[in-house]
Amino acid sequence: MNERFVHGHAVVVGVGADLPNTVDDANALAGILQDPTRCAYPPEQVHALTGEDATRDAFLCALDTLARSTDPRSTVIVFFSGHGCRAASSIGEACYLVTHGCDLARLCQTAVSGAEFAERLRAIPAQKLLVLLDCCHAGAVGDAKAPGLQLAKSALPPEARQLLAEGTGRVLIASSQGDELSFGGRPYSAFTLALIEAFSGVGVARQDGYVRVADLALHAREVVPGRTRGGQHPVLHFEHADNFGLAFYAGGDTQPKGLPFAGEPQIEPEPGAWMGIDLRGQTVHGPQTVVGRDVQGSVLSGEFDGAVALAGGEAVDLRGAQTVVYKPIFQQAPEPEIPPPPKPDSLPTVKGFIGREEQLAYFADKLATGHLAVICGPPGVGKTDLASVLAYRVREGNLSSAFWYPFDPDKDLESAIRELAGFLYWQGQTELWHWLERQRLEESLDHAFQMLRGHGYLLCFDNLHFVEDEDLLDEFDRAIDSAVQAGELDVIVTSECTPSLVKDMDQFDPLLGLSQDETRVLFAKVLPAEAEIEQLEPHSTQTLLDMQDLTNAELLVNLHARTEGNPLLLRCALDALDPDRSPNPNRAHFLMHLYEDKDIWRFLMEEIEENLKPEERAVMQAVAVLQGQAGTRGAIEAILDGENVWCTLRDLADRHLLREGEGEAGREYSMNAIIRHFYYDSLSEREAMHYWAGEYYETEEPDILKAARHFAEAKEHERAARLVTRDVRALVNKGQDRPLRRLLDKLVKEELAPEQKARVYRARGEFYDLEGERDLARESYEQALSTLDTLPDSTAGELKARVCQGMSDLEHHEPRPATSPGSGSLHSGRLML
């Protein structure tokens, strides 16, 4: 049974005249909005103005009707398809929407100025307003009937753009960038075709029955450039707006009803190629040059008795006609160029991988049959190594289609989506990255997976257990499940516990340790052949014979049982037993304690630590200071006051005491969490090492949050506070929400000067406001004001004004409903997750 989208209202305008396609577009959009099986707007709430009915007076009257008939609960769509014009004269310039019957000599009386348009929109009380403008058509008003004026194409009245910053719930989508023209087509133009598809449920992020703002924008941004061979790129403008629901797409049902037209749509090869102007009865006086992509020469004098197709160019003299084709007389400034993301990290390389053929075959079969492999097991069991080797094998040389993301305590699902956007960018799908750079959107996770599906990608999420408590995890699970069930995406997940993604606990076997045979191979790799043993010194020979016995006798069985085949434990034992690295004259003593010691991790680490060289120990401590973050050689050398560590890093990585991989800043090094805790807990110069790390990340490899965190650990709280309060929004934009939250919460508890303490409270308030946690934001702002009240106005005046502005902005935000078709928030400058 179909429902009505009772709060939906619309004004749809297609000017016609020299743009007959605009009439078809407007009628189609009005039709789908009223269609009870699709958008289901009440018919009496959709006002369509086309052709001769699309006059200035009729358009303004329809907007005035919207202002009277809507309320804050309403959802309003305003669609205009026609020419946009910028008129410049000796006294200034103004922008106009050219309505039907426009007289260029009387623009103010016969067209709608940008100021008038913005004024009418401002009067509409609806808190959900979407404006769709298609104003960049080939052909436009010329200067033949406008003495004293210079006329140029205008994609977007600046007054409409300014209106977006004045309140919440206002979104504008333009059909193209300012220096582009709109492509027409059959049955509809490229832009309107994308809108019709989205309103029919094509490309929606959620199959819950609703079309949202982001659905329209992302679908248009994805399909229009492709259909126009890169010639047209729709642009989204908004400042403070929820990603609100615009309409139903299936009359209240969740299953789409298909497209409301038959046949394969066609898009013209270039703007204006299919545009005809009926010149019967009109006279062109004198030859007039027509400048176009594929037209050269003149339009001859004489009377015409048929239609003339024009491809754009300088104004054609059509005295007596209402509209003509024109050549743009200015170059509109392009939108600021968004820098590309860093190239995605490659799959981690694995050194000394042993065996695991049975497990590799098992998980490869899971990927082949169900498109999902979930590798679960305890720390050190080799989940990451197995996942990496598995990814290398199933991709078979096509590694560019594989995405790898390692979660850690500082990386949440939001930062993962940002990395996915960067991955898609380098695959040629740039839309999500551009979106993320401008705004912030809770549904971007769904849109990311929508863009990932069907392209043969492999996604690898390492250490998923770090995000098991996130609110977004249910959406993440649902997106993965939908994609893998459809066979449109391959996913590998590692976790220390069974993730919520797995509904059946028996669906995947847990990853166990190495087998006895694999353990034997692991230890045999470092042992010399028997012929070599005979050539060694007596004491060395005995040591190696003891080890040879270990690989062939009961000692190996006992070692395997004691470590449960855990690869990291075994490698630690191997490092401790290797005479080339840990010369220990009493192997029997070592083995006895190995089997008797209850805390095998600590015993092995102490054994390794005892036999490390001083420079090796220093590097292990420096990497531990990074607290789980990978660090470059430069960072590690800075922590060690410039000491060259290249050879030591390479040796420790070869021994599996350090991990190495490629990061944004080059080759980086990290260590297992258990090893890191052992070395960090034993540091005697911890604060000094954190201080040098902070210095490095503030100046040499700039990362404000890393620098601030290290200064905080060095007890340099004032310096940490100065850094972290500079630009909270920029840090949030980088996906650093988790560590930023922890640092701000830590700093408010430290001893700081009152003014600095107030800055931290203000930054904390801004952070919680961006996160949508309004109560915590208000509390932080109030604490900032309370702290500032203890200072003289001459010191605290400006900061107090900023705090008050933050509180004012907070109070004027529209509360976000907990469950609504448009839950989420679009904040200026960021795509919110």
Side-chain angles (χ1 to χ4, degrees):
M1 180 178 181
N2 295 324
E3 299 180 41
R4 285 291 182 188
F5 198 84
V6 294
H7 294 300
H9 299 255
V11 167
V12 182
V13 179
V15 175
D18 66 313
L19 300 175
N21 216 77
T22 63
V23 174
D24 297 333
D25 286 353
N27 285 331
L29 189 62
I32 197 170
L33 289 175
Q34 298 174 79
D35 187 342
T37 67
R38 291 183 175 84
C39 296
Y41 275 36
E44 66 276 10
Q45 294 175 193
V46 177
H47 304 279
L49 303 172
T50 60
E52 294 180 354
D53 293 330
T55 62
R56 163 192 158 86
D57 291 342
F59 187 21
L60 294 178
C61 180
L63 294 176
D64 290 339
T65 300
L66 279 180
R68 293 191 301 270
S69 60
T70 59
D71 58 39
R73 298 170 302 168
S74 302
T75 298
V76 172
I77 296 175
V78 176
F79 174 87
F80 178 88
S81 184
H83 289 303
C85 157
R86 177 178 296 178
S89 68
S90 59
I91 61 173
E93 65 176 35
C95 289
Y96 294 89
L97 299 178
V98 179
T99 48
H100 194 90
C102 173
D103 181 352
L104 298 183
R106 301 170 56 246
L107 275 173
C108 292
Q109 292 78 33
T110 59
V112 175
S113 70
E116 289 176 306
F117 185 50
E119 180 183 358
R120 292 313 201 277
L121 295 178
R122 190 178 289 110
I124 297 173
Q127 294 297 304
K128 300 167 187 170
L129 171 63
L130 171 66
V131 180
L132 301 166
L133 293 181
D134 190 3
C135 302
C136 294
H137 298 278
V141 290
D143 59 2
K145 295 286 187 178
L149 292 179
Q150 284 187 315
L151 302 179
K153 174 172 66 76
S154 176
L156 174 63
E159 295 90 347
R161 175 67 187 272
Q162 294 164 8
L163 176 68
L164 303 180
E166 297 179 9
T168 60
R170 294 163 178 170
V171 179
L172 190 152
I173 302 176
S175 64
S176 60
Q177 296 178 359
D179 57 349
E180 297 174 337
L181 297 176
S182 294
F183 282 67
R186 302 188 183 99
Y188 314 120
S189 67
F191 180 59
T192 300
L193 176 61
L195 299 181
I196 296 294
E197 289 173 337
F199 277 124
S200 300
V202 177
V204 295
R206 297 181 181 180
Q207 295 285 333
D208 61 358
Y210 292 95
V211 183
R212 297 176 174 80
V213 169
D215 296 320
L216 248 65
L218 280 183
H219 183 68
R221 281 284 298 181
E222 184 167 4
V223 302
V224 172
R227 288 170 176 164
T228 60
R229 296 164 299 284
Q232 181 178 346
H233 299 79
V235 179
L236 171 69
H237 301 276
F238 60 85
E239 298 296 331
H240 306 283
D242 285 347
N243 181 32
F244 49 81
L246 292 168
F248 295 136
Y249 60 74
D253 295 334
T254 58
Q255 185 63 36
K257 309 299 184 184
L259 296 175
F261 58 86
E264 186 69 22
Q266 297 178 322
I267 302 301
E268 60 186 351
E270 61 178 279
W274 295 351
M275 181 179 67
I277 302 179
D278 189 355
L279 300 180
R280 283 171 290 191
Q282 302 295 333
T283 300
V284 177
H285 298 279
Q288 301 291 329
T289 300
V290 177
V291 180
R293 296 180 186 175
D294 58 357
V295 178
Q296 294 180 351
S298 301
V299 176
L300 301 179
S301 302
E303 294 188 359
F304 294 84
D305 58 0
V308 176
L310 302 175
E314 291 183 357
V316 179
D317 187 353
L318 298 178
R319 290 185 175 89
Q322 292 180 344
T323 54
V324 298
V325 178
Y326 75 103
K327 176 182 178 181
I329 61 175
F330 75 102
Q331 182 68 38
Q332 182 165 334
E335 294 196 7
E337 183 177 352
I338 297 174
K343 288 193 174 182
D345 294 341
S346 57
L347 294 176
T349 55
V350 180
K351 294 184 177 181
F353 188 77
I354 298 295
R356 299 286 201 183
E357 291 301 326
E358 184 178 341
Q359 290 96 331
L360 284 169
Y362 170 80
F363 286 111
D365 179 69
K366 289 291 186 180
L367 272 179
T369 57
H371 303 281
L372 176 66
V374 178
I375 305 173
C376 295
V381 79
K383 301 181 294 296
T384 299
D385 286 355
L386 183 69
S388 181
V389 173
L390 176 63
Y392 273 105
R393 291 197 180 184
V394 299
R395 287 291 101 174
E396 296 182 351
N398 186 22
L399 297 180
S400 63
S401 64
F403 169 79
W404 181 274
Y405 189 79
F407 287 104
D408 62 38
D410 288 342
K411 294 179 178 177
D412 54 14
L413 287 171
E414 182 173 347
S415 58
I417 298 305
R418 186 176 182 83
E419 293 294 320
L420 271 174
F423 169 76
L424 286 169
Y425 180 96
W426 291 105
Q427 300 292 330
Q429 296 172 265
T430 62
E431 293 84 3
L432 186 62
W433 177 256
H434 291 152
W435 186 285
L436 280 163
E437 284 300 302
R438 287 187 173 94
Q439 303 295 341
R440 194 180 178 202
L441 170 68
E442 285 186 344
E443 279 81 9
S444 61
L445 186 150
D446 298 283
H447 288 289
F449 276 90
Q450 190 70 29
M451 296 175 67
L452 287 163
R453 296 173 68 154
H455 295 279
Y457 296 136
L458 169 66
L459 307 187
C460 307
F461 296 104
D462 191 27
N463 295 323
L464 189 65
H465 53 274
F466 282 116
V467 293
E468 279 295 311
D469 60 345
E470 280 204 34
D471 293 338
L472 275 177
L473 188 63
D474 287 343
E475 291 295 317
F476 179 80
D477 291 346
R478 185 200 58 74
I480 288 183
D481 185 64
S482 174
V484 300
Q485 289 292 336
E488 296 178 332
L489 191 66
D490 290 338
V491 178
I492 298 174
V493 168
T494 76
S495 179
E496 291 183 2
C497 56
T498 301
S500 57
L501 174 66
V502 178
K503 304 301 186 290
D504 181 0
M505 297 292 288
D506 298 325
Q507 184 178 353
F508 297 95
D509 293 342
L511 183 63
L512 304 177
L514 298 177
S515 67
Q516 287 189 27
D517 289 339
E518 291 167 338
T519 303
R520 183 177 294 109
V521 171
L522 175 66
F523 277 77
K525 273 182 172 290
V526 299
L527 295 177
E530 291 185 15
E532 297 177 77
I533 295 177
E534 296 175 358
Q535 302 174 12
L536 300 175
E537 295 295 329
H539 69 277
S540 298
T541 302
Q542 183 59 50
T543 299
L544 289 170
L545 286 173
D546 289 342
M547 292 185 68
Q548 190 68 45
D549 289 339
L550 181 67
T551 66
N552 296 300
E554 185 178 356
L555 288 177
L556 179 62
V557 177
N558 291 337
L559 178 62
H560 179 268
R562 186 73 178 86
T563 61
E564 296 181 344
N566 186 295
L568 183 60
L569 275 174
L570 288 171
R571 290 191 183 279
C572 289
L574 184 64
D575 196 89
L577 284 168
D578 188 347
D580 292 334
R581 296 197 169 104
S582 304
N584 188 336
N586 192 343
R587 296 290 156 179
H589 177 77
F590 169 81
L591 293 172
M592 178 184 68
H593 283 282
L594 176 64
Y595 302 136
E596 292 180 354
D597 199 291
K598 293 182 179 179
D599 189 346
I600 188 171
W601 276 110
R602 177 160 289 277
F603 169 73
L604 287 172
M605 289 310 307
E606 289 173 349
E607 195 69 25
I608 293 172
E609 162 68 11
E610 182 180 344
N611 294 290
L612 285 178
K613 300 173 185 177
E615 62 270 21
E616 293 172 336
R617 184 176 298 109
V619 169
M620 296 293 284
Q621 292 171 343
V623 177
V625 164
L626 297 174
Q627 295 184 309
Q629 297 291 313
T632 61
R633 172 188 170 190
I636 296 166
E637 289 181 344
I639 294 171
L640 297 177
D641 199 18
E643 180 182 343
N644 190 307
V645 298
W646 171 241
C647 293
T648 306
L649 285 171
R650 185 174 56 186
D651 185 53
L652 292 172
D654 288 342
R655 294 159 62 183
H656 301 278
L657 295 177
L658 291 182
R659 297 171 176 165
E660 61 179 338
E662 291 297 327
E664 183 178 343
R667 184 161 291 273
E668 296 178 332
Y669 300 87
S670 61
M671 57 176 49
N672 177 274
I674 296 175
I675 298 176
R676 182 177 75 249
H677 289 310
F678 175 85
Y679 278 97
Y680 191 75
D681 291 345
S682 63
L683 283 176
S684 59
E685 299 181 358
R686 185 182 303 173
E687 291 180 10
M689 298 176 83
H690 276 298
Y691 178 85
W692 290 118
E695 287 275 348
Y696 179 82
Y697 283 119
E698 184 178 8
T699 59
E700 300 300 321
E701 194 180 309
D703 189 318
I704 294 301
L705 188 56
K706 278 186 179 180
R709 292 172 69 189
H710 282 293
F711 282 131
E713 293 296 333
K715 301 296 191 289
E716 295 281 338
H717 298 125
E718 293 280 343
R719 192 165 178 181
R722 284 197 298 273
L723 289 174
V724 81
T725 58
R726 280 182 187 172
D727 192 341
V728 169
R729 185 181 294 274
L731 294 175
V732 173
N733 285 352
K734 294 179 179 178
Q736 296 179 326
D737 306 49
R738 273 189 170 188
L740 178 58
R741 179 193 296 262
R742 288 198 295 268
L743 182 57
L744 289 172
D745 289 347
K746 172 184 173 67
L747 287 175
V748 296
K749 300 174 184 177
E750 303 295 345
E751 291 293 332
L752 297 171
E755 183 178 356
Q756 195 61 264
K757 177 69 72 91
R759 292 186 186 278
V760 174
Y761 276 129
R762 175 183 173 268
R764 194 164 173 253
E766 183 180 0
F767 170 80
Y768 282 122
D769 186 12
L770 289 171
E771 295 295 300
E773 301 179 51
R774 302 180 68 213
D775 290 341
L776 289 174
R778 184 179 297 104
E779 177 185 326
S780 294
Y781 282 136
E782 289 172 351
Q783 289 169 320
L785 288 176
S786 177
T787 304
L788 290 171
D789 285 341
T790 64
L791 299 174
D793 289 341
S794 58
T795 301
E798 180 180 351
L799 181 55
K800 186 178 292 187
R802 293 180 180 273
V803 174
C804 291
Q805 180 62 52
M807 293 190 72
S808 175
D809 292 343
L810 182 67
E811 295 305 321
H812 286 88
H813 287 176
E814 180 184 4
R816 282 191 263 169
T819 55
S820 74
S823 63
S825 180
L826 300 176
H827 289 281
S828 175
R830 181 145 184 230
L831 188 56
M832 188 173 198
L833 284 170

